[in-house]
Amino acid sequence: MKKGIRPMHPQAAPSAPVTTYDQILERVRYEGAYPTRERAEQAARLVLAALGRQLSADERGELAACLPPEAARILNAEPAGTGALTGWGFVKDLATRTGGTPATTRWDVGTVLAVVAHLAGDDLLDRVLAQLPPGYALLFGRAELVQAA
C-alpha cells in the first residue's frame, strides 16, 4: 500500500479481552463508531444505569461482578424500577429521559449491551434475558426466539 493511502475497509476490532473501564469505553467507541471517547462514555453511562433499573438484585449483582468496578458502580447506581419495560419500551424510556431520538438511543443501547453481553458470557446472559420482558435479546445482539401460541 502506498504511503498515506488508507484501506477502504476498517481494521478488525481488537480481540484482546476487555478488563478495564477504559477498555470498555474503547470497545464501545469502536463498535458504535463514536467520534470521541466522551460520546462513548456518555452512551455507556446512560445505558448501564438504565439497564440496572430493569434488573433484579440477583442478576444485577451477577452482571456487576463481570464488569470493571467503574462500570459496576454505574449499573448499581440507581434502584430497580417499579415497572418492567419491554425491549422497545426500554429504548423509548431512555430516549425520553435523555432527550435523544429513538433511533440514536437504539444505536447506543445496542452498542453498549453488545459489549456487556461479551463480558457476561452466554450462561449469565441467558439468565438475565430470562428475567427481562421480551425484546431485550435483540438489544444484546442475539436473535430472540418466540414460541408459537
Side-chain angles (χ1 to χ4, degrees):
M1 184 178 310
K2 292 182 181 179
K3 185 176 180 181
I5 298 177
R6 295 184 178 171
M8 290 180 63
H9 303 286
Q11 299 295 319
S15 60
V18 177
T19 57
T20 68
Y21 186 61
D22 284 337
Q23 288 171 319
I24 285 178
L25 295 181
E26 280 307 309
R27 183 88 178 250
V28 167
R29 181 177 178 192
Y30 179 86
E31 297 294 332
Y34 295 111
T36 64
R37 182 184 186 280
E38 291 75 23
R39 178 62 182 96
E41 183 169 20
Q42 176 188 28
R45 285 182 173 281
L46 292 171
V47 173
L48 286 171
L51 178 63
R53 289 190 296 269
Q54 295 302 307
L55 297 174
S56 70
D58 289 342
E59 276 77 22
R60 187 170 21 177
E62 281 189 76
L63 191 56
C66 297
L67 301 173
E70 298 94 329
R73 279 192 293 276
I74 297 166
L75 184 72
N76 287 315
E78 298 182 34
T82 56
L85 300 170
T86 64
W88 180 237
F90 175 79
V91 170
K92 290 191 309 186
D93 179 66
L94 187 56
T96 299
R97 288 173 184 260
T98 62
T101 67
T104 301
T105 304
R106 170 61 180 91
W107 181 265
D108 293 346
V109 168
T111 300
V112 174
L113 293 186
V115 173
V116 169
H118 175 75
L119 294 171
D122 290 338
D123 291 341
L124 177 54
L125 187 56
D126 287 344
R127 289 194 305 277
V128 167
L129 289 172
Q131 186 252 320
L132 291 168
Y136 282 86
L138 290 173
L139 299 176
F140 280 96
R142 281 191 170 181
E144 186 154 7
L145 303 177
V146 180
Q147 291 181 331

